Amino acid sequence: MKNKRFGRSPRLSPQARLVLERRYLKRDENNLVVETPARMFARVARAVAEAEAPYVSTGRVGRIAARFFDMMAALDFLPNSPALMNAGRELGQLSACFVLPVEDSIESIFNAVRDTALIHKSGGGTGFSFSAIRPARDVVKSTRGVSSGPLSFMNVFDVATETIKQGGARRGANMGLLSVHHPDILDFIEVKEKNPLRFANFNLSVSITDRFMEAVFEGRPYELVNPHTRVSTTGPPAAEVFDRIVRAAWACGDPGLVFIDRINQTNPLPALGPIEATNPCGEQPLLPYESCTLGSINLARFVRRGRVDFDRLRSTVRLAVRFLDNVIDANLYPLPQVRDMTLKNRKIGLGVMGLADMLIQLGLAYESEEALDACEGVMGFIQSESKKASADLARRRGSFSHFDLSVYPDQGRRFMRNATTTTIAPTGTLSIIAGCTSGIEPPFALAYRRRFLDNQEIIETHPLFKRIAQKRGFWSDDLARSLLRTGRVSDLKAVPADVRRLFVTAHEIDPLWHVRIQAAFQKHTDNAVSKTVNLRRQAGLETVRDVFVAAYRSGLKGVTVYRDGCKQGQVLVYGPAWEPGAEHPARAEANHCPDCGGPLEPEDGCRRCRACGYSVCH
């Protein structure tokens, strides 16, 4: 059916329509859905295109809105969730990622708590470094007392987050980082291992320096530094601390690692100070009070006759950069400091989803050298074209205000509209809407039950696999039942070997190949890459250690592992039909949020994602 102004309505799966109805589409005062998916895309397209008004004629604004609509309705590109939810509506907050400063004073800490509440209420997630807070039991001269340390103040943020609904649709999410050189680092490393319910609204990551990793490899102690007095003391052997990080991550998925020196080596604005924190899923390092708007291109839509259609990809990259730059001007920011920093730096993060689907269409196994070449080729192309698009916008609209303080003049660039242009985000819910695999992850399973609110389950089969099976004549009811029971085809002789080679699931892939794929994208990404290295339940501590070391040596900016079964609760299940209140026999391999891919944790009879706040009730 044609939309008279904007073209054809999007072709959405039943799962996509359900997600949109529950979380994105506009509702009236009686909580009834009053918006179709096509009207949602039209609303977003109009609101974002209106930012073109200072630069083009009135008639051109309408034509740009139509192009934005077509790009989203074709599911070639989707912006981050706050933009879909809030563009053209009263709330108007369109960014997902924020970082707030936390200094070593009561005033700074509680100002940050207040600002966090405002950001979460508007639909964003927040990241903090707590490394400036003096350690526990440190003397506080003004009160003649002792400091309670960073972990105690993190409790305040956690409780505040728990009480704030994000825009009525999303709950708050935080990233908490602490430097590996902080005297309280061991308590931070082990806090969730000792109490899995503590800091339910936080992802935790240790901020790792190069000098710490050198001490690990050399088998020597490293220094701890009191952030208040700046006094250094000799700490424990670095390898022992590293092993405790490994053990905690193996046990509960926290903490991850953020390689902070590597992040700052590629910081485009070093004159404004070091980057110390990231957003909740770790893919977006930001300076204090910066925000970033993200969007993702669906790579599955750009394969034609077994090859990547780079011409069409080029035009989509350029239009997506324009869309995201417009979002910066269309945004209603929750804090004046955030508005100021965002407008001066204009960071955007264009990424991808549907990578695994693209590789399958190209006939490339995820775990292959050819796949690595394809990943580097596609992301290198997107990086190059996004920079050209940003420069072209700058020629017409002006470079970002802090351009002269950036690294770009030294690189010989005369124009740049955006301080960064690329980021790889998780795209959990966006990939459901787009009908593709999440981010750069392999398929979780080839068939599974997705559990929604009100005990509703939907059976999903990987559409590419089913299409190939039907076309080649090996699809059957027995195969469908087997897929739902095991989630994979690697041991099914009824499936041809060349198909089994392509359709490999997350837990079947060597953990170090997860790292290699992530590294291929990181080479051509300004910011960072969100990816979870999924490990089988049987994986040992040495596997986690190998992943962390490989991540560091491969040039990653951060890494997260998730061992199957280390958390309770899941949204994706395969096996016999699930009954409410019963333990699912195959529950161990699907503890991931459908929104961002983060682990789910129990909460009041539900399961809630500790990264983005997505809630699944049983």
Short mmCIF file of all heavy atoms in Angstrom, two decimals, residues 468-522:
data_model
loop_
_atom_site.label_atom_id
_atom_site.label_comp_id
_atom_site.label_asym_id
_atom_site.label_seq_id
_atom_site.Cartn_x
_atom_site.Cartn_y
_atom_site.Cartn_z
N ILE A 468 16.92 -20.92 1.81
CA ILE A 468 17.84 -21.82 1.09
C ILE A 468 17.36 -23.26 1.17
O ILE A 468 17.39 -24.01 0.18
CB ILE A 468 19.26 -21.68 1.67
CG1 ILE A 468 19.84 -20.31 1.30
CG2 ILE A 468 20.17 -22.79 1.17
CD1 ILE A 468 21.17 -20.00 1.99
N ALA A 469 16.90 -23.67 2.38
CA ALA A 469 16.43 -25.05 2.56
C ALA A 469 15.23 -25.35 1.67
O ALA A 469 15.12 -26.45 1.08
CB ALA A 469 16.08 -25.29 4.03
N GLN A 470 14.32 -24.40 1.56
CA GLN A 470 13.15 -24.60 0.71
C GLN A 470 13.54 -24.62 -0.76
O GLN A 470 13.06 -25.45 -1.54
CB GLN A 470 12.12 -23.51 0.99
CG GLN A 470 11.45 -23.64 2.35
CD GLN A 470 10.52 -22.47 2.65
OE1 GLN A 470 10.72 -21.36 2.16
NE2 GLN A 470 9.51 -22.71 3.48
N LYS A 471 14.44 -23.72 -1.15
CA LYS A 471 14.85 -23.64 -2.55
C LYS A 471 15.57 -24.90 -2.99
O LYS A 471 15.39 -25.38 -4.12
CB LYS A 471 15.74 -22.41 -2.75
CG LYS A 471 16.17 -22.19 -4.20
CD LYS A 471 16.99 -20.92 -4.33
CE LYS A 471 17.41 -20.69 -5.78
NZ LYS A 471 18.21 -19.44 -5.91
N ARG A 472 16.39 -25.47 -2.08
CA ARG A 472 17.18 -26.65 -2.45
C ARG A 472 16.50 -27.96 -2.07
O ARG A 472 17.05 -29.04 -2.28
CB ARG A 472 18.57 -26.54 -1.81
CG ARG A 472 19.37 -25.38 -2.39
CD ARG A 472 20.73 -25.22 -1.78
NE ARG A 472 21.56 -26.42 -1.87
CZ ARG A 472 22.85 -26.46 -1.53
NH1 ARG A 472 23.44 -25.33 -1.10
NH2 ARG A 472 23.53 -27.57 -1.60
N GLY A 473 15.31 -27.87 -1.48
CA GLY A 473 14.48 -29.04 -1.29
C GLY A 473 14.77 -29.90 -0.07
O GLY A 473 14.31 -31.05 -0.02
N PHE A 474 15.48 -29.38 0.92
CA PHE A 474 15.72 -30.20 2.12
C PHE A 474 14.98 -29.67 3.35
O PHE A 474 15.21 -30.15 4.45
CB PHE A 474 17.23 -30.36 2.40
CG PHE A 474 17.99 -29.09 2.68
CD1 PHE A 474 18.03 -28.53 3.94
CD2 PHE A 474 18.70 -28.46 1.66
CE1 PHE A 474 18.75 -27.38 4.20
CE2 PHE A 474 19.43 -27.30 1.90
CZ PHE A 474 19.44 -26.77 3.19
N TRP A 475 14.09 -28.71 3.17
CA TRP A 475 13.27 -28.24 4.29
C TRP A 475 12.19 -29.27 4.60
O TRP A 475 11.58 -29.84 3.70
CB TRP A 475 12.63 -26.90 3.99
CG TRP A 475 11.80 -26.37 5.13
CD1 TRP A 475 10.45 -26.42 5.27
CD2 TRP A 475 12.30 -25.76 6.31
NE1 TRP A 475 10.06 -25.86 6.45
CE2 TRP A 475 11.18 -25.45 7.13
CE3 TRP A 475 13.56 -25.45 6.78
CZ2 TRP A 475 11.30 -24.83 8.37
CZ3 TRP A 475 13.69 -24.83 8.02
CH2 TRP A 475 12.56 -24.54 8.79
N SER A 476 11.98 -29.53 5.87
CA SER A 476 10.94 -30.48 6.28
C SER A 476 10.50 -30.17 7.69
O SER A 476 11.17 -29.42 8.42
CB SER A 476 11.48 -31.92 6.24
OG SER A 476 12.48 -32.10 7.23
N ASP A 477 9.37 -30.74 8.09
CA ASP A 477 8.91 -30.56 9.46
C ASP A 477 9.89 -31.15 10.46
O ASP A 477 10.12 -30.60 11.54
CB ASP A 477 7.53 -31.20 9.64
CG ASP A 477 6.44 -30.45 8.89
OD1 ASP A 477 6.66 -29.28 8.53
OD2 ASP A 477 5.36 -31.05 8.67
N ASP A 478 10.50 -32.27 10.10
CA ASP A 478 11.50 -32.88 10.99
C ASP A 478 12.69 -31.96 11.18
O ASP A 478 13.23 -31.83 12.29
CB ASP A 478 11.97 -34.23 10.42
CG ASP A 478 10.93 -35.33 10.59
OD1 ASP A 478 10.00 -35.14 11.41
OD2 ASP A 478 11.05 -36.36 9.90
N LEU A 479 13.12 -31.32 10.09
CA LEU A 479 14.25 -30.40 10.19
C LEU A 479 13.87 -29.20 11.07
O LEU A 479 14.68 -28.77 11.91
CB LEU A 479 14.67 -29.91 8.80
CG LEU A 479 15.78 -28.85 8.76
CD1 LEU A 479 17.04 -29.36 9.45
CD2 LEU A 479 16.09 -28.45 7.31
N ALA A 480 12.66 -28.69 10.91
CA ALA A 480 12.21 -27.56 11.72
C ALA A 480 12.21 -27.93 13.20
O ALA A 480 12.65 -27.14 14.06
CB ALA A 480 10.83 -27.10 11.28
N ARG A 481 11.73 -29.14 13.52
CA ARG A 481 11.70 -29.57 14.92
C ARG A 481 13.12 -29.75 15.46
O ARG A 481 13.41 -29.40 16.60
CB ARG A 481 10.90 -30.87 15.05
CG ARG A 481 9.39 -30.67 14.97
CD ARG A 481 8.65 -31.94 15.36
NE ARG A 481 8.80 -32.97 14.34
CZ ARG A 481 7.95 -33.13 13.32
NH1 ARG A 481 6.92 -32.32 13.18
NH2 ARG A 481 8.15 -34.10 12.43
N SER A 482 14.00 -30.29 14.64
CA SER A 482 15.38 -30.48 15.07
C SER A 482 16.06 -29.14 15.32
O SER A 482 16.80 -28.97 16.30
CB SER A 482 16.16 -31.27 14.01
OG SER A 482 17.49 -31.46 14.42
N LEU A 483 15.81 -28.17 14.45
CA LEU A 483 16.39 -26.84 14.62
C LEU A 483 15.94 -26.22 15.93
O LEU A 483 16.73 -25.63 16.67
CB LEU A 483 15.97 -25.93 13.47
CG LEU A 483 16.78 -25.99 12.18
CD1 LEU A 483 16.22 -24.98 11.20
CD2 LEU A 483 18.24 -25.70 12.46
N LEU A 484 14.65 -26.35 16.22
CA LEU A 484 14.13 -25.74 17.44
C LEU A 484 14.67 -26.44 18.68
O LEU A 484 14.81 -25.84 19.74
CB LEU A 484 12.60 -25.79 17.42
CG LEU A 484 11.88 -24.89 18.43
CD1 LEU A 484 12.29 -23.44 18.27
CD2 LEU A 484 10.38 -25.03 18.28
N ARG A 485 15.01 -27.71 18.53
CA ARG A 485 15.52 -28.49 19.66
C ARG A 485 16.99 -28.18 19.94
O ARG A 485 17.41 -28.09 21.09
CB ARG A 485 15.33 -29.98 19.39
CG ARG A 485 15.68 -30.89 20.56
CD ARG A 485 15.20 -32.31 20.32
NE ARG A 485 15.77 -32.88 19.11
CZ ARG A 485 15.09 -33.11 17.99
NH1 ARG A 485 13.80 -32.81 17.92
NH2 ARG A 485 15.68 -33.65 16.92
N THR A 486 17.79 -27.99 18.89
CA THR A 486 19.23 -27.82 19.08
C THR A 486 19.75 -26.45 18.70
O THR A 486 20.81 -26.04 19.16
CB THR A 486 20.01 -28.86 18.26
OG1 THR A 486 19.84 -28.56 16.86
CG2 THR A 486 19.52 -30.26 18.55
N GLY A 487 19.02 -25.75 17.83
CA GLY A 487 19.45 -24.42 17.41
C GLY A 487 20.52 -24.40 16.34
O GLY A 487 20.91 -23.33 15.87
N ARG A 488 21.03 -25.57 15.91
CA ARG A 488 22.16 -25.60 14.98
C ARG A 488 22.01 -26.75 14.00
O ARG A 488 21.20 -27.65 14.19
CB ARG A 488 23.46 -25.72 15.75
CG ARG A 488 23.53 -26.95 16.66
CD ARG A 488 24.81 -26.94 17.49
NE ARG A 488 24.80 -25.84 18.42
CZ ARG A 488 24.98 -25.97 19.73
NH1 ARG A 488 25.19 -27.16 20.26
NH2 ARG A 488 24.96 -24.93 20.52
N VAL A 489 22.83 -26.71 12.94
CA VAL A 489 22.75 -27.75 11.91
C VAL A 489 24.09 -28.46 11.71
O VAL A 489 24.20 -29.29 10.81
CB VAL A 489 22.29 -27.15 10.56
CG1 VAL A 489 20.88 -26.62 10.67
CG2 VAL A 489 23.26 -26.08 10.08
N SER A 490 25.07 -28.18 12.51
CA SER A 490 26.41 -28.71 12.28
C SER A 490 26.46 -30.22 12.31
O SER A 490 27.34 -30.83 11.68
CB SER A 490 27.38 -28.15 13.32
OG SER A 490 26.91 -28.40 14.64
N ASP A 491 25.52 -30.86 13.01
CA ASP A 491 25.54 -32.32 13.10
C ASP A 491 24.37 -32.96 12.37
O ASP A 491 24.05 -34.12 12.60
CB ASP A 491 25.54 -32.76 14.56
CG ASP A 491 24.37 -32.18 15.35
OD1 ASP A 491 23.66 -31.31 14.79
OD2 ASP A 491 24.17 -32.58 16.50
N LEU A 492 23.71 -32.21 11.48
CA LEU A 492 22.55 -32.73 10.75
C LEU A 492 22.97 -33.12 9.33
O LEU A 492 23.23 -32.26 8.48
CB LEU A 492 21.43 -31.69 10.69
CG LEU A 492 20.81 -31.29 12.03
CD1 LEU A 492 19.68 -30.28 11.80
CD2 LEU A 492 20.28 -32.51 12.77
N LYS A 493 23.01 -34.41 9.04
CA LYS A 493 23.43 -34.88 7.73
C LYS A 493 22.40 -34.57 6.65
O LYS A 493 22.74 -34.59 5.45
CB LYS A 493 23.72 -36.38 7.78
CG LYS A 493 24.92 -36.73 8.66
CD LYS A 493 25.22 -38.22 8.63
CE LYS A 493 26.44 -38.55 9.49
NZ LYS A 493 26.74 -39.99 9.49
N ALA A 494 21.16 -34.28 7.09
CA ALA A 494 20.14 -33.92 6.10
C ALA A 494 20.42 -32.56 5.47
O ALA A 494 19.86 -32.22 4.42
CB ALA A 494 18.76 -33.90 6.77
N VAL A 495 21.28 -31.79 6.09
CA VAL A 495 21.64 -30.47 5.57
C VAL A 495 22.96 -30.60 4.82
O VAL A 495 23.95 -31.11 5.37
CB VAL A 495 21.79 -29.45 6.72
CG1 VAL A 495 22.22 -28.09 6.18
CG2 VAL A 495 20.48 -29.34 7.49
N PRO A 496 23.03 -30.16 3.56
CA PRO A 496 24.26 -30.27 2.78
C PRO A 496 25.45 -29.61 3.47
O PRO A 496 25.30 -28.61 4.17
CB PRO A 496 23.92 -29.57 1.46
CG PRO A 496 22.43 -29.67 1.36
CD PRO A 496 21.91 -29.59 2.77
N ALA A 497 26.63 -30.15 3.24
CA ALA A 497 27.84 -29.69 3.93
C ALA A 497 28.13 -28.21 3.65
O ALA A 497 28.58 -27.48 4.54
CB ALA A 497 29.03 -30.55 3.52
N ASP A 498 27.88 -27.77 2.41
CA ASP A 498 28.19 -26.37 2.09
C ASP A 498 27.27 -25.41 2.84
O ASP A 498 27.67 -24.29 3.17
CB ASP A 498 28.09 -26.12 0.58
CG ASP A 498 26.69 -26.34 0.05
OD1 ASP A 498 26.07 -27.38 0.38
OD2 ASP A 498 26.19 -25.48 -0.70
N VAL A 499 26.06 -25.85 3.16
CA VAL A 499 25.13 -25.03 3.95
C VAL A 499 25.54 -25.05 5.42
O VAL A 499 25.53 -24.02 6.09
CB VAL A 499 23.68 -25.52 3.77
CG1 VAL A 499 22.73 -24.71 4.65
CG2 VAL A 499 23.27 -25.42 2.30
N ARG A 500 25.90 -26.23 5.91
CA ARG A 500 26.35 -26.32 7.30
C ARG A 500 27.57 -25.43 7.55
O ARG A 500 27.72 -24.83 8.62
CB ARG A 500 26.70 -27.77 7.67
CG ARG A 500 25.53 -28.73 7.63
CD ARG A 500 25.79 -29.99 8.45
NE ARG A 500 27.02 -30.69 8.05
CZ ARG A 500 27.06 -31.68 7.17
NH1 ARG A 500 25.94 -32.08 6.56
NH2 ARG A 500 28.20 -32.27 6.87
N ARG A 501 28.43 -25.30 6.56
CA ARG A 501 29.63 -24.48 6.70
C ARG A 501 29.29 -23.00 6.90
O ARG A 501 29.98 -22.29 7.63
CB ARG A 501 30.49 -24.64 5.42
CG ARG A 501 31.78 -23.83 5.42
CD ARG A 501 32.54 -24.07 4.12
NE ARG A 501 31.82 -23.55 2.97
CZ ARG A 501 31.94 -22.30 2.52
NH1 ARG A 501 32.73 -21.43 3.15
NH2 ARG A 501 31.27 -21.91 1.46
N LEU A 502 28.21 -22.55 6.28
CA LEU A 502 27.83 -21.14 6.36
C LEU A 502 27.04 -20.80 7.61
O LEU A 502 27.18 -19.71 8.16
CB LEU A 502 27.01 -20.74 5.13
CG LEU A 502 27.72 -20.80 3.77
CD1 LEU A 502 26.75 -20.40 2.67
CD2 LEU A 502 28.93 -19.88 3.76
N PHE A 503 26.19 -21.73 8.04
CA PHE A 503 25.26 -21.43 9.13
C PHE A 503 25.81 -21.96 10.45
O PHE A 503 25.32 -22.95 11.01
CB PHE A 503 23.88 -22.00 8.82
CG PHE A 503 23.16 -21.24 7.75
CD1 PHE A 503 23.28 -21.61 6.41
CD2 PHE A 503 22.39 -20.13 8.06
CE1 PHE A 503 22.64 -20.91 5.41
CE2 PHE A 503 21.74 -19.42 7.07
CZ PHE A 503 21.86 -19.80 5.74
N VAL A 504 26.83 -21.28 10.94
CA VAL A 504 27.46 -21.64 12.21
C VAL A 504 27.00 -20.64 13.27
O VAL A 504 26.95 -19.43 13.02
CB VAL A 504 28.99 -21.62 12.07
CG1 VAL A 504 29.66 -21.98 13.39
CG2 VAL A 504 29.43 -22.58 10.98
N THR A 505 26.67 -21.12 14.47
CA THR A 505 26.11 -20.28 15.52
C THR A 505 27.18 -19.83 16.51
O THR A 505 28.32 -20.32 16.51
CB THR A 505 24.99 -21.02 16.26
OG1 THR A 505 25.51 -22.24 16.79
CG2 THR A 505 23.84 -21.33 15.31
N ALA A 506 26.79 -18.90 17.37
CA ALA A 506 27.75 -18.17 18.20
C ALA A 506 28.64 -19.08 19.04
O ALA A 506 29.85 -18.86 19.14
CB ALA A 506 27.00 -17.19 19.11
N HIS A 507 28.06 -20.10 19.67
CA HIS A 507 28.85 -20.94 20.56
C HIS A 507 29.68 -21.98 19.84
O HIS A 507 30.51 -22.66 20.45
CB HIS A 507 27.93 -21.64 21.58
CG HIS A 507 27.39 -20.70 22.60
ND1 HIS A 507 26.12 -20.20 22.55
CD2 HIS A 507 27.97 -20.15 23.71
CE1 HIS A 507 25.92 -19.39 23.58
NE2 HIS A 507 27.03 -19.34 24.29
N GLU A 508 29.46 -22.12 18.53
CA GLU A 508 30.27 -23.06 17.75
C GLU A 508 31.55 -22.41 17.23
O GLU A 508 32.43 -23.11 16.73
CB GLU A 508 29.45 -23.58 16.56
CG GLU A 508 28.21 -24.37 16.96
CD GLU A 508 27.41 -24.80 15.75
OE1 GLU A 508 26.63 -23.98 15.22
OE2 GLU A 508 27.57 -25.96 15.34
N ILE A 509 31.64 -21.11 17.33
CA ILE A 509 32.78 -20.38 16.78
C ILE A 509 33.89 -20.29 17.82
O ILE A 509 33.63 -20.00 19.00
CB ILE A 509 32.33 -18.98 16.31
CG1 ILE A 509 31.40 -19.12 15.10
CG2 ILE A 509 33.53 -18.09 15.98
CD1 ILE A 509 30.72 -17.85 14.71
N ASP A 510 35.11 -20.52 17.40
CA ASP A 510 36.27 -20.40 18.29
C ASP A 510 36.30 -19.00 18.88
O ASP A 510 36.16 -18.01 18.15
CB ASP A 510 37.54 -20.66 17.49
CG ASP A 510 38.79 -20.68 18.36
OD1 ASP A 510 39.10 -19.66 18.99
OD2 ASP A 510 39.45 -21.73 18.41
N PRO A 511 36.45 -18.87 20.21
CA PRO A 511 36.44 -17.54 20.83
C PRO A 511 37.43 -16.56 20.21
O PRO A 511 37.13 -15.36 20.11
CB PRO A 511 36.79 -17.84 22.29
CG PRO A 511 36.32 -19.24 22.51
CD PRO A 511 36.55 -19.94 21.21
N LEU A 512 38.59 -17.03 19.80
CA LEU A 512 39.57 -16.12 19.22
C LEU A 512 39.15 -15.62 17.85
O LEU A 512 39.61 -14.55 17.40
CB LEU A 512 40.94 -16.80 19.15
CG LEU A 512 41.54 -17.18 20.51
CD1 LEU A 512 42.94 -17.76 20.34
CD2 LEU A 512 41.58 -15.97 21.45
N TRP A 513 38.23 -16.33 17.18
CA TRP A 513 37.69 -15.81 15.93
C TRP A 513 36.71 -14.67 16.19
O TRP A 513 36.59 -13.74 15.39
CB TRP A 513 37.04 -16.93 15.12
CG TRP A 513 38.01 -17.53 14.17
CD1 TRP A 513 38.79 -18.64 14.35
CD2 TRP A 513 38.35 -17.02 12.88
NE1 TRP A 513 39.58 -18.84 13.26
CE2 TRP A 513 39.34 -17.87 12.33
CE3 TRP A 513 37.93 -15.93 12.13
CZ2 TRP A 513 39.90 -17.66 11.08
CZ3 TRP A 513 38.48 -15.71 10.86
CH2 TRP A 513 39.45 -16.57 10.35
N HIS A 514 36.00 -14.73 17.30
CA HIS A 514 35.18 -13.57 17.68
C HIS A 514 36.07 -12.33 17.78
O HIS A 514 35.70 -11.24 17.33
CB HIS A 514 34.50 -13.83 19.03
CG HIS A 514 33.33 -14.75 18.97
ND1 HIS A 514 32.07 -14.32 18.58
CD2 HIS A 514 33.20 -16.06 19.28
CE1 HIS A 514 31.22 -15.34 18.65
NE2 HIS A 514 31.89 -16.41 19.06
N VAL A 515 37.22 -12.49 18.41
CA VAL A 515 38.15 -11.37 18.58
C VAL A 515 38.66 -10.89 17.23
O VAL A 515 38.76 -9.68 16.97
CB VAL A 515 39.32 -11.78 19.49
CG1 VAL A 515 40.37 -10.66 19.56
CG2 VAL A 515 38.83 -12.11 20.89
N ARG A 516 38.98 -11.82 16.34
CA ARG A 516 39.51 -11.44 15.03
C ARG A 516 38.49 -10.65 14.21
O ARG A 516 38.85 -9.68 13.52
CB ARG A 516 39.98 -12.68 14.26
CG ARG A 516 41.17 -13.40 14.90
CD ARG A 516 41.69 -14.51 14.01
NE ARG A 516 42.37 -13.97 12.84
CZ ARG A 516 42.84 -14.71 11.83
NH1 ARG A 516 42.66 -16.04 11.86
NH2 ARG A 516 43.46 -14.15 10.81
N ILE A 517 37.24 -11.07 14.26
CA ILE A 517 36.19 -10.33 13.55
C ILE A 517 36.05 -8.93 14.14
O ILE A 517 35.95 -7.93 13.41
CB ILE A 517 34.85 -11.09 13.61
CG1 ILE A 517 34.91 -12.39 12.79
CG2 ILE A 517 33.70 -10.20 13.14
CD1 ILE A 517 34.95 -12.18 11.29
N GLN A 518 36.04 -8.83 15.47
CA GLN A 518 35.94 -7.53 16.11
C GLN A 518 37.12 -6.64 15.72
O GLN A 518 36.96 -5.45 15.45
CB GLN A 518 35.88 -7.69 17.63
CG GLN A 518 35.66 -6.38 18.38
CD GLN A 518 35.46 -6.58 19.87
OE1 GLN A 518 35.31 -7.71 20.35
NE2 GLN A 518 35.46 -5.50 20.63
N ALA A 519 38.32 -7.22 15.68
CA ALA A 519 39.50 -6.44 15.33
C ALA A 519 39.45 -5.96 13.88
O ALA A 519 39.92 -4.85 13.57
CB ALA A 519 40.76 -7.28 15.57
N ALA A 520 38.88 -6.76 12.99
CA ALA A 520 38.76 -6.35 11.59
C ALA A 520 37.91 -5.09 11.47
O ALA A 520 38.21 -4.20 10.65
CB ALA A 520 38.15 -7.48 10.76
N PHE A 521 36.86 -4.99 12.28
CA PHE A 521 36.02 -3.79 12.26
C PHE A 521 36.68 -2.63 13.00
O PHE A 521 36.55 -1.47 12.59
CB PHE A 521 34.64 -4.11 12.84
CG PHE A 521 33.73 -4.72 11.84
CD1 PHE A 521 33.68 -6.10 11.68
CD2 PHE A 521 32.93 -3.94 11.02
CE1 PHE A 521 32.86 -6.68 10.73
CE2 PHE A 521 32.10 -4.51 10.07
CZ PHE A 521 32.06 -5.89 9.93
N GLN A 522 37.40 -2.93 14.08
CA GLN A 522 38.01 -1.85 14.85
C GLN A 522 39.05 -1.09 14.02
O GLN A 522 39.23 0.12 14.19
CB GLN A 522 38.66 -2.40 16.11
CG GLN A 522 39.21 -1.32 17.04
CD GLN A 522 38.12 -0.40 17.57
OE1 GLN A 522 37.39 -0.75 18.48
NE2 GLN A 522 38.01 0.78 16.99
#
